[in-house]
Amino acid sequence: MRRLSKKKALTLVKELDAFPKVPESYVESSASGGTVSLIAFSAMAVLAFLEFFVYRDTWMKYEYEVDKDFSSKLRINIDITVAMRCQYIGADVLDLAETMVASDGLKYEPVNFELSPQQRLWHMTLLHIQERLRVEHSLQDLIFKSAVKGAPAAQSGSVDSSISLTACRIHGHLYVNKVAGNFHITVGKSIPHPRGHAHLAALVSHDSFNFSHRIDHLSFGEDIPGIISPLDGTEKVTTESNHMFQYFLTIVPTKLNTYKVSADMHQYSVTERERAINHAAGSHGISGIFMKYDISSLMVKVSEQHMPLWKFLVRLCGIVGGIFSTTGMLHGMVGFLVDVVCCRFQMGVYTPLKEENPGAQQTNHQAPPPPAESNSGVSQLTSCSS
């Protein structure tokens, strides 16, 4: 009984076979089928190879949510060169609450405003990158992927003592509250004041004013090497002594999470404006460089995504099965059209009649006449009756 039940089970399983085997004696190979098979296998190999590169590649995923962190401090990373001596200028931050932030983290270094040939080449390269970033926004994803965590590369500090250093490089970082504020560089050192702060500019001659500047780097949050900010490489040159440069920045908190780095950074957009100070013409203001920033309430999460292995296998099976089925249908359709064009297509089975033997027909036509005896008998009977 058990053997019978096993046989019945095997028979039932065989009946459910969705892939019946065709005997080789019933299969006919053709040159056209071999050619189509060769093309199909080549297409499968090429597409599978390209799909492997897609599987290895990654992409950036952007998510948006409300920023709920208001108690932490915001770090400002600064590297600006101004075409004035360090003793004539001062830099500080004043936030929306009229709170003056100490600028102890900033360093003043006398330098020459003109760049060396190597520095000028790097500066031109940075400007070219900035121009491409404004056109090709997808390049920002490539910059995110190439970012690494670590200390930024220090610039060369070697200075020729024989050259007169008429410029000042202000670099370092500051920690401010996460509210709107104003970072500015103007004439005179800043001093605390009950109503805010003031700059001692009375002892500086107007002839020495020159706020031509170059922003080598300006970023917010963690300083990540490889990340290029919108103002990096900006250079403004003016021939007028009283000139105001204004930058209006909108800062967006950003959490970057890639396979190389995980950091809290801040992206920003900027709008620029500059004008000459001429009180007689009605253009009032203070000469200097002013960066007014505001912080967005939305936070962006940027994460690097990778195709899972199961999805790669499913896509690979789809490529193989799709090409195999499509080429089979195309081969059948082409064969059908060839049969129609060549008049080889038959709607039914047609068998022509067999022709008779012409020798037999000739023999029948030459059959001998009836015997003479019968004719004489007939004549005798006729004569008898008469």
Side-chain angles (χ1 to χ4, degrees), residues 72-76 174-176 178 220-221 251 266 295:
S72 62
K73 296 289 186 178
L74 175 63
R75 172 170 170 163
I76 305 178
L174 298 171
Y175 289 95
V176 299
K178 292 187 70 173
F220 298 86
I251 305 172
H266 292 72
I295 303 175

Side-chain angles (χ1 to χ4, degrees), residues 103-116:
S103 57
D104 299 336
L106 297 180
K107 299 179 181 179
Y108 296 79
E109 179 183 351
V111 294
N112 188 18
F113 190 76
E114 297 297 328
L115 297 175
S116 63

Side-chain angles (χ1 to χ4, degrees), residues 1 18 26 32 41 50 59 83 105 177 236 259 262 315 350-351:
M1 296 297 293
Y26 296 162
S32 61
F41 292 147
L50 296 177
W59 65 90
N177 299 321
K236 301 290 184 179
Y259 292 106
S262 179
R315 290 167 64 97
Y350 171 74
T351 304

Side-chain angles (χ1 to χ4, degrees), residues 27 39 52 66 72-73 88 96 98 116 128 141 152 160 164 174 192 196 202 274 282 296 315 329 341 347 349-350 376:
V27 178
I39 295 174
F52 177 72
V66 177
S72 62
K73 296 289 186 178
Y88 295 157
L96 193 61
E98 297 295 331
S116 63
H128 180 68
D141 294 348
D160 189 359
S164 177
L174 298 171
E274 60 178 275
S296 174
R315 290 167 64 97
M329 289 187 296
V341 173
M347 297 299 294
V349 179
Y350 171 74
S376 61

Side-chain angles (χ1 to χ4, degrees), residues 80-84 88-92 170 182-188 199 201 206 208-213 215 236 238 240-247 273-277 279 284-292:
I80 302 176
T81 302
V82 185
M84 289 182 65
Y88 295 157
I89 57 177
D92 56 9
I170 304 174
N182 180 8
F183 169 76
H184 52 270
I185 301 174
T186 188
V187 180
H199 286 263
H206 285 274
S208 61
F209 287 10
N210 186 2
F211 284 98
S212 300
H213 62 280
I215 303 176
K236 301 290 184 179
T238 179
E240 300 179 1
S241 58
N242 291 333
H243 209 89
M244 175 187 287
F245 297 92
Q246 292 177 308
Y247 299 92
R273 184 189 177 190
E274 60 178 275
R275 59 187 177 91
I277 302 300
H279 298 285
H284 304 288
I286 301 174
S287 301
I289 305 167
F290 298 87
M291 298 182 180
K292 299 181 180 180

Side-chain angles (χ1 to χ4, degrees), residues 163-330:
I163 301 177
S164 177
L165 305 178
T166 59
C168 182
R169 178 190 172 201
I170 304 174
H171 60 96
H173 60 272
L174 298 171
Y175 289 95
V176 299
N177 299 321
K178 292 187 70 173
V179 295
N182 180 8
F183 169 76
H184 52 270
I185 301 174
T186 188
V187 180
K189 302 296 181 180
S190 61
I191 58 174
H193 192 270
R195 295 184 179 180
H197 75 293
H199 286 263
L200 295 176
L203 301 179
V204 181
S205 173
H206 285 274
D207 297 334
S208 61
F209 287 10
N210 186 2
F211 284 98
S212 300
H213 62 280
R214 181 175 55 254
I215 303 176
D216 295 318
H217 181 68
L218 178 68
S219 64
F220 298 86
E222 294 186 38
D223 194 7
I224 304 175
I227 299 297
I228 300 178
S229 300
L231 284 178
D232 291 358
T234 301
E235 186 175 27
K236 301 290 184 179
V237 178
T238 179
T239 57
E240 300 179 1
S241 58
N242 291 333
H243 209 89
M244 175 187 287
F245 297 92
Q246 292 177 308
Y247 299 92
F248 302 92
L249 288 73
T250 301
I251 305 172
V252 180
T254 305
K255 286 188 176 182
L256 180 62
N257 187 12
T258 65
Y259 292 106
K260 293 182 179 180
V261 63
S262 179
D264 294 333
M265 54 176 294
H266 292 72
Q267 303 179 86
Y268 64 88
S269 60
V270 60
T271 303
E272 305 176 11
R273 184 189 177 190
E274 60 178 275
R275 59 187 177 91
I277 302 300
N278 189 350
H279 298 285
S283 178
H284 304 288
I286 301 174
S287 301
I289 305 167
F290 298 87
M291 298 182 180
K292 299 181 180 180
Y293 60 88
D294 194 5
I295 303 175
S296 174
S297 59
L298 292 179
M299 181 176 61
V300 181
K301 288 185 176 181
V302 184
S303 58
E304 189 174 4
Q305 300 291 323
H306 186 271
M307 181 187 297
L309 180 60
W310 66 267
K311 190 173 182 179
F312 168 69
L313 296 177
V314 169
R315 290 167 64 97
L316 199 62
C317 294
I319 289 174
V320 175
I323 293 179
F324 186 79
S325 302
T326 304
T327 52
M329 289 187 296
L330 290 177

Side-chain angles (χ1 to χ4, degrees), residues 3-16:
R3 291 181 179 178
L4 292 176
S5 60
K6 289 182 179 179
K7 289 182 179 180
K8 289 182 179 180
L10 290 175
T11 304
L12 180 60
V13 171
K14 288 181 179 180
E15 291 178 356
L16 296 176

